[in-house]
Amino acid sequence: MHEYSIVQSLLESCEEHARTNDAKKVTKVVVKIGVLSGVEPDLLQTAFDTFKEQTVCHDAVFLINHQKVVIECFDCNTISTLEKNEFCCPKCQSVNIKVTDGEDMYLMSLELE
């Protein structure tokens, strides 16, 4: 499960941000996970809850925002959010598209005390 290594890296980043900002603890961690990222949200939540003990995140709330796939169509210049994983433009049905969001995981925000 690569979610464990992702959480370990995330916790290290939280520790670094807390140190940089002279914070004693992190009270909230918000991440954005794209549906194409390969990260399983439930497993990530479990990994975070397991590994947060003995870190500045021990009391932190962990929020996951799910990002759908966003595409840009090169034929009609439309930006669309896909409701299904059907990789064509909903407006003109073109497959001449580029995925612009929904493939990655990002740390969006931290609340520090």
Side-chain angles (χ1 to χ4, degrees):
M1 266 187 276
H2 70 288
E3 283 77 9
Y4 289 145
S5 61
I6 292 169
V7 164
Q8 287 175 328
S9 177
L10 179 62
L11 290 170
E12 288 170 9
S13 181
C14 290
E15 294 270 356
E16 183 179 320
H17 284 290
R19 240 186 340 271
T20 302
N21 292 285
D22 295 322
K24 291 179 179 49
K25 65 181 181 174
V26 176
T27 58
K28 186 190 290 186
V29 178
V30 181
V31 297
K32 177 173 85 168
I33 300 176
V35 296
L36 298 178
S37 69
V39 176
E40 291 292 329
D42 291 340
L43 294 176
L44 192 71
Q45 180 73 57
T46 300
F48 185 84
D49 291 341
T50 301
F51 290 112
K52 73 179 184 176
E53 300 305 320
Q54 309 302 319
T55 73
V56 294
C57 296
H58 65 277
D59 290 329
V61 174
F62 187 60
L63 299 177
I64 299 173
N65 296 327
H66 303 273
Q67 175 62 52
K68 294 181 179 179
V69 177
V70 178
I71 61 165
E72 179 180 352
C73 178
F74 292 118
D75 290 341
C76 70
N77 296 317
T78 300
I79 295 175
S80 305
T81 300
L82 301 181
E83 295 302 318
K84 301 178 191 172
N85 287 345
E86 296 174 354
F87 292 89
C88 66
C89 176
K91 184 176 180 185
C92 73
Q93 308 309 308
S94 171
V95 293
N96 188 17
I97 61 169
K98 175 176 86 172
V99 175
T100 60
D101 204 353
E103 295 181 299
D104 299 307
M105 178 184 145
Y106 296 102
L107 172 59
M108 300 302 291
S109 67
L110 295 176
E111 284 185 12
L112 307 170
E113 275 188 13

